[in-house]
Amino acid sequence: MPSSDDTTSSRSWRRWIAAVVFLAFFGVLIWKVINPYRGERFEKVPHGSHVHFVPRDRNPDAPISRFPTQKPAKDERITPDGDVVPLRATDSMP
């Protein structure tokens, strides 16, 4: 028959493990919220049944519907107003 100390110790470890798992999940969630670009030149913004690709320097006055629904090619970029243009050699990727 297990003693009450073993049961208490087992519960304590379970709580610590649950707390660590919860904190790790919460940390990943917060990181995704504060860093939406995650190394990309743009982020995906859900819009009904599709997504729009929006650059970091988006013009807040430009409606989301102006931005492309397909990912631009590696040699293209999205302007702050939503136009897809060729990536110039002098442009640096943010």
Side-chain angles (χ1 to χ4, degrees), residues 67-90:
F67 293 90
T69 57
Q70 292 184 341
K71 187 175 181 179
K74 296 239 184 244
D75 62 341
E76 295 178 327
R77 70 180 182 93
I78 306 170
T79 65
D81 292 320
D83 299 320
V84 178
V85 297
L87 185 65
R88 295 186 310 242
T90 57

Side-chain angles (χ1 to χ4, degrees), residues 26-76:
F26 189 71
V28 168
L29 186 65
I30 291 297
W31 179 250
K32 287 186 178 197
V33 168
I34 64 172
N35 186 18
Y37 298 99
R38 293 183 279 289
E40 294 288 329
R41 299 178 289 157
F42 41 78
E43 73 171 307
K44 294 180 190 178
V45 177
H47 190 229
S49 63
H50 58 281
V51 295
H52 288 271
F53 292 90
V54 179
R56 292 182 187 199
D57 59 348
R58 174 187 175 206
N59 177 358
D61 296 329
I64 195 73
S65 60
R66 292 219 39 205
F67 293 90
T69 57
Q70 292 184 341
K71 187 175 181 179
K74 296 239 184 244
D75 62 341
E76 295 178 327

